[in-house]
Amino acid sequence: MKARILVIEDEIAINDLLCMNLEVTGYETVSCLDGNEASDTIRQDHNFQCALVDIMLPGKDGYALLPELKRFGIPVIFLTAKADLSSKVKGLKEGAEDYIVKPFEMLEVMVRLEKVLERHGSTQEQLQIDDVIIDTVSHTVTKNGEEIYLKPMEYNCLMMFVKSPNKALSREQLLSGLWGVEFEGETRTVDAHVGRIRKKLGWQDKIKTIPRIGYRLEVDL
Amino acid sequence: MKLFTKIFLQVTCVILILSSAIFFYTTCRWKDQSLQDINSYEWNRFQTSLSQMENQLRIAGSQSDASDPDLQEKILVYSFRHVFHDSAALYCNEKELYNGTSYEFEAETIGKLTAETLPQKKLSAFYDYDPVISKTDGKTLLLYSYSSTEYTGEENYQIVTYKDITDVLKRSQILFFQAGALTLGLLLFTGFLLFFSLKKIMAPLTKLNEAALCIADGNYDIQVPQNGNTELAQVGKSFNQMTAKIKEQIESLSAVNQAQRQLLGSLAHELKTPMTAIIGYADTLLTVRLSKERQERALTYIGNECRRLSRLSVKMLELTGLYETGESQLTLQEVPVADFLDEARKLTLYRLQEKNLHLEISCNPENLKKTFDKDLMLSVVTNFIDNAVKASEENSRILLHATNDRLTVQDFGKGIPPEDLSKVTDAFYMVDKSRSRANGSVGLGLSLCQKIADLHGYQMKIESTVGEGTKVSVLW
């Protein structure tokens, strides 16, 4: 089941940007362009796992929408240009799960969204990509019912790809995601790991090398 | 307080020196003078007595036998007593013949005294302390002596008389102390007076100092006393004027600063959204596998947002340009208002036709002429018309009306909610954000108009009723 995300943002360009990226990564999105529209939407349909909400909206603003969303148990991430401390504190104190200041990077939004979903138990325990099934509880990977043994680092690397499918990850991103920012390893190490994952899962076609950037797991969702 | 101590000490010292000098001088003079008076009086009396005695001696000498020394002596004593009574002593050949006084005189000393004192005829006061008497009760006497040797040659006698001046000296001493005490008292009194008057004079200075410190701390509301027409009051007046000027300038500076900071803040805020979109789409295009259709959409967004940024930068340049332009840089010229309105109509014709709006122009009186910067005012009017077009429904009408005291643009569109009315001239403020953005506006139009009106010294007035329309006027 795909997680459903409500995107409330009056700036159509940003709204579409969020929807585009979320859909590509495997979420289902519903977009609203103003506060009143959003209010109506959640009253009729409140099966959302998370909402990305702008604070300054025409009609009802983000702060006003927050209690309505919380009533239906929808966790809220504020996405706003208001960078001052008091706005942040107000947003978080009133019950937002997270607060992201514009201009933001899509990857950051993705990761924070994922963390919120994890906290609310909305992540799937089993992920399936074609014939490969990944059990995120027991950390096991099976292909065609046959268990494939992956080293911890290889498993983490695989998870990074699976969590952002169809999105290119740079070698630096992989490196810092797997070993931490302080690790000053060679980007070659990443290549070696990716190579092993490809070989073990038979994903030579699925994990594509993107010139000058890194790798991308291409899945048809 | 340093100046205070300095002045106080200096003045007190001068007074002290002067008064004590006067005091010493006068008391000494007084003593000398009185002694001199006494002296000359006594001396005269002594001389008179002496001549009387000489006369007597002469008369007695002619009648008696001169060879009998005893008789001579007796005559001497007799005539001496006749003249001097008991106020003098008589010696003959260093032997006391008669002494009517209560003192003893030493004959030798007297001889010396006579020798010494007689040549100086003009006798100033001289004192002699008789050793014997001074021991007993310390009196001061003036001694006068006479030796007959030089006059007669036969009879050698000396007369010594005295004048008790103890009282005089005592009185002069008492006077000395009295005058000293008086001077001291006077000094204390003047010092006291000086202290307070100085303190009073210095008080404004102290206040001035406090005020200056306050101003240094940034408190410009302080005032120093400026009453009266003393120099210090004038300084106070100038000081207050200075403070007021500084306050005014600081306020205007901070107002300009505030306005610019606000502008900058709103600008930064206004830049964030397009930036986020552009960066986001560029990243997405680079890293995400998108369908052809989505790729095109992303590129369109990037293009649109970039165009918005460029519009924004043009407007911002205009606005900051206006902020820097003073009144002096306006190119003022006399403009026939009817022609001016027609020009505005031509400029907005295209926008008006888009919504099929009718612009009704009227000018009363028809040959009205006004002096202003034509280009800037043209931009104001086109901005007004632009806003009116945005607010109006299709097939509606817009009134452009000029009279001697105002220029008005009126539309019959949706109007501005009262709570937004005061904010519409703020930079980047938009009543309906998403709609305005879609129309391609950046929210700087009215802010520009306000600035231009301010530069001309005109007032801008916006009246609006929701649902009925808006009326924007420039009072020129």
Side-chain angles (χ1 to χ4, degrees):
Chain A
M1 186 200 78
K2 288 176 178 179
R4 295 184 81 218
I5 311 294
L6 180 63
V7 180
I8 310 171
E9 160 71 60
D10 62 326
E11 200 70 34
I12 183 125
I14 306 274
N15 197 316
D16 210 11
L17 174 72
L18 288 167
C19 291
M20 214 180 260
N21 276 281
L22 291 171
E23 276 163 26
V24 161
T25 324
Y27 297 103
E28 196 183 319
T29 59
V30 173
S31 73
C32 296
L33 287 172
D34 71 64
N36 296 332
E37 186 192 339
S39 185
D40 293 341
T41 310
I42 43 181
R43 219 166 295 139
Q44 287 156 16
D45 171 15
H46 36 263
N47 178 25
F48 292 105
Q49 274 68 52
C50 188
L52 299 174
V53 183
D54 189 6
I55 290 179
M56 284 181 288
L57 286 168
K60 284 183 180 171
D61 71 359
Y63 294 126
L65 284 174
L66 194 58
E68 297 184 27
L69 287 160
K70 284 187 72 171
R71 195 166 354 122
F72 298 112
I74 305 172
V76 171
I77 298 176
F78 274 135
L79 260 181
T80 174
K82 284 182 142 183
D84 58 304
L85 189 66
S86 57
S87 304
K88 283 185 192 173
V89 169
K90 188 181 177 202
L92 291 172
K93 273 213 163 174
E94 286 185 10
E97 287 292 323
D98 213 335
Y99 192 103
I100 303 172
V101 176
K102 288 179 188 173
F104 50 78
E105 290 224 25
M106 276 317 297
L107 189 70
E108 189 190 349
V109 177
M110 292 307 189
V111 173
R112 285 180 189 264
L113 175 63
E114 196 180 293
K115 289 291 166 197
V116 170
L117 292 178
E118 257 176 40
R119 279 206 290 277
H120 285 77
S122 308
T123 43
Q124 292 148 287
E125 289 179 358
Q126 278 206 337
L127 298 163
Q128 185 168 12
I129 295 155
D130 290 348
D131 49 0
V132 176
I133 296 167
I134 304 165
D135 191 316
T136 54
V137 182
S138 62
H139 283 215
T140 48
V141 182
T142 47
K143 185 182 165 88
N144 292 330
E146 191 181 325
E147 186 172 340
I148 291 168
Y149 175 70
L150 287 178
K151 287 178 182 168
M153 230 22 124
E154 288 165 2
Y155 175 80
N156 289 342
C157 188
L158 176 66
M159 285 311 289
M160 278 189 78
F161 280 115
V162 172
K163 277 175 184 168
S164 37
N166 289 324
K167 220 167 154 51
L169 296 171
S170 69
R171 290 188 177 83
E172 286 74 24
Q173 278 171 349
L174 286 165
L175 202 59
S176 62
L178 293 175
W179 284 279
V181 211
E182 293 84 11
F183 184 75
E184 290 181 10
E186 286 211 30
T187 45
R188 290 275 144 231
T189 330
V190 176
D191 295 341
H193 276 81
V194 174
R196 256 172 289 169
I197 294 167
R198 272 177 177 164
K199 207 173 156 196
K200 283 183 180 172
L201 297 176
W203 274 8
Q204 277 82 353
D205 294 335
K206 282 217 159 53
I207 300 181
K208 285 242 171 84
T209 307
I210 312 293
R212 290 195 312 280
I213 296 176
Y215 299 97
R216 180 161 69 201
L217 175 62
E218 298 197 341
V219 189
D220 295 315
L221 292 164
Chain B
M1 256 327 176
K2 272 218 173 115
L3 189 63
F4 173 78
T5 349
K6 218 165 158 182
I7 293 177
F8 181 71
L9 284 181
Q10 275 179 359
V11 174
T12 325
C13 276
V14 168
I15 290 175
L16 181 72
I17 290 167
L18 277 179
S19 58
S20 49
I22 291 169
F23 152 70
F24 277 117
Y25 178 74
T26 42
T27 44
C28 287
R29 280 290 297 171
W30 185 83
K31 200 169 101 180
D32 285 354
Q33 196 64 49
S34 47
L35 283 181
Q36 220 167 334
D37 288 348
I38 293 167
N39 188 44
S40 59
Y41 173 73
E42 287 298 320
W43 178 252
N44 282 336
R45 224 176 71 174
F46 187 51
Q47 292 294 326
T48 328
S49 310
L50 276 178
S51 54
Q52 272 178 13
M53 195 178 131
E54 296 266 319
N55 276 340
Q56 291 246 337
L57 276 179
R58 213 173 296 128
I59 294 161
S62 59
Q63 289 170 352
S64 62
D65 185 4
S67 55
D68 186 357
D70 273 353
L71 187 68
Q72 285 286 331
E73 233 179 65
K74 269 185 188 133
I75 291 170
L76 197 61
V77 171
Y78 172 78
S79 43
F80 174 77
R81 286 195 61 180
H82 185 77
V83 174
F84 285 100
H85 308 287
D86 283 344
S87 66
L90 179 71
Y91 295 87
C92 190
N93 297 325
E94 298 184 357
K95 191 181 93 185
E96 189 185 280
L97 291 185
Y98 178 82
N99 191 353
T101 66
S102 49
Y103 306 110
E104 294 279 330
F105 298 99
E106 268 176 36
E108 270 173 48
T109 331
I110 288 154
K112 233 186 273 165
L113 269 175
T114 347
E116 271 171 22
T117 49
L118 272 180
Q120 19 177 286
K121 265 269 185 212
K122 197 171 175 270
L123 187 76
S124 65
F126 74 92
Y127 326 107
D128 190 24
Y129 298 92
D130 196 308
V132 188
I133 299 156
S134 69
K135 267 176 205 161
T136 45
D137 55 0
K139 291 206 169 180
T140 312
L141 306 175
L142 275 180
L143 296 183
Y144 302 93
S145 62
Y146 171 76
S147 183
S148 65
T149 3
E150 286 159 47
Y151 297 94
T152 54
E154 305 157 21
E155 276 167 279
N156 194 5
Y157 64 85
Q158 285 95 28
I159 298 167
V160 174
T161 186
Y162 72 95
K163 171 73 186 170
D164 192 341
I165 56 161
T166 318
D167 277 355
V168 178
L169 286 182
K170 214 169 237 165
R171 254 185 292 147
S172 88
Q173 206 168 14
I174 287 166
L175 191 75
F176 179 84
F177 285 123
Q178 276 176 344
L182 200 69
T183 317
L184 213 68
L186 212 67
L187 190 72
L188 279 177
F189 179 69
T190 17
F192 200 66
L193 218 66
L194 192 72
F195 183 83
F196 283 103
S197 72
L198 265 182
K199 199 131 203 176
K200 199 164 158 53
I201 289 169
M202 295 300 232
L205 267 183
T206 322
K207 280 221 176 88
L208 212 61
N209 182 38
E210 279 164 11
L213 286 178
C214 269
I215 285 167
D217 281 344
N219 175 10
Y220 301 104
D221 292 324
I222 203 126
Q223 287 273 324
V224 294
Q226 53 173 40
N227 303 327
N229 54 358
T230 61
E231 283 85 345
L232 278 177
Q234 272 165 11
V235 169
K237 210 176 274 175
S238 316
F239 191 88
N240 283 345
Q241 274 170 9
M242 182 192 77
T243 317
K245 256 287 179 300
I246 288 179
K247 191 180 170 192
E248 204 174 283
Q249 283 180 354
I250 293 271
E251 269 168 8
S252 78
L253 268 180
S254 62
V256 168
N257 201 5
Q258 180 76 15
Q260 282 183 343
R261 212 172 20 210
Q262 243 169 27
L263 201 65
L264 210 65
S266 348
L267 177 69
H269 179 245
E270 216 48 31
L271 285 176
K272 270 182 188 171
T273 317
M275 283 301 181
T276 310
I278 293 168
I279 294 168
Y281 281 112
D283 274 350
T284 307
L285 281 172
L286 260 178
T287 60
V288 179
R289 195 174 60 138
L290 292 172
S291 61
K292 190 88 186 143
E293 175 235 345
R294 274 184 169 167
Q295 277 179 15
E296 272 168 17
R297 223 162 75 207
L299 283 170
T300 317
Y301 281 129
I302 290 179
N304 284 343
E305 294 299 314
C306 283
R307 267 188 284 278
R308 192 166 123 200
L309 282 181
S310 111
R311 270 201 309 275
L312 189 67
S313 76
V314 169
K315 286 276 184 184
M316 279 305 294
L317 275 179
E318 272 182 56
L319 198 59
T320 45
L322 281 178
Y323 267 103
E324 279 154 23
T325 312
E327 267 173 63
S328 55
Q329 275 153 300
L330 292 175
T331 43
L332 295 173
Q333 57 187 115
E334 203 176 45
V335 184
V337 176
D339 293 357
F340 170 74
L341 295 183
D342 197 52
E343 203 167 324
R345 187 185 61 85
K346 277 181 196 155
L347 279 173
T348 50
L349 207 57
Y350 173 74
R351 297 273 292 148
L352 290 165
Q353 279 169 356
E354 270 184 346
K355 277 191 169 176
N356 196 22
L357 295 166
H358 183 62
L359 182 69
E360 290 172 19
I361 297 178
S362 64
C363 182
N364 182 33
E366 255 175 57
N367 56 354
L368 182 67
K369 281 186 180 179
K370 280 277 175 186
T371 305
F372 48 74
D373 189 312
K374 194 177 162 194
D375 289 334
L376 289 181
M377 282 308 286
L378 209 53
S379 115
V380 170
V381 176
T382 49
N383 250 308
F384 285 170
I385 295 174
D386 220 34
N387 284 335
V389 169
K390 279 177 201 159
S392 296
E393 299 293 316
E394 287 196 14
N395 302 321
S396 174
R397 62 203 181 101
I398 294 169
L399 305 182
L400 176 58
H401 184 63
T403 63
N404 197 28
D405 62 337
R406 65 178 63 204
L407 172 75
T408 313
V409 176
Q410 190 173 6
D411 68 61
F412 301 95
K414 54 190 167 196
I416 304 167
E419 67 266 23
D420 292 320
L421 207 51
S422 60
K423 296 186 233 159
V424 288
T425 54
D426 292 355
F428 301 113
Y429 191 84
M430 295 177 221
V431 175
D432 185 348
K433 205 165 80 173
S434 27
R435 181 77 63 86
S436 308
R437 291 246 169 82
N439 279 342
S441 70
V442 290
L444 285 175
L446 280 178
S447 168
L448 270 170
C449 295
Q450 176 79 65
K451 191 71 204 166
I452 292 170
D454 284 350
L455 280 177
H456 282 86
Y458 299 160
Q459 241 189 343
M460 209 167 95
K461 213 168 131 192
I462 304 170
E463 299 158 84
S464 185
T465 319
V466 176
E468 284 180 24
T470 308
K471 192 172 159 187
V472 191
S473 317
V474 172
L475 308 180
W476 58 8

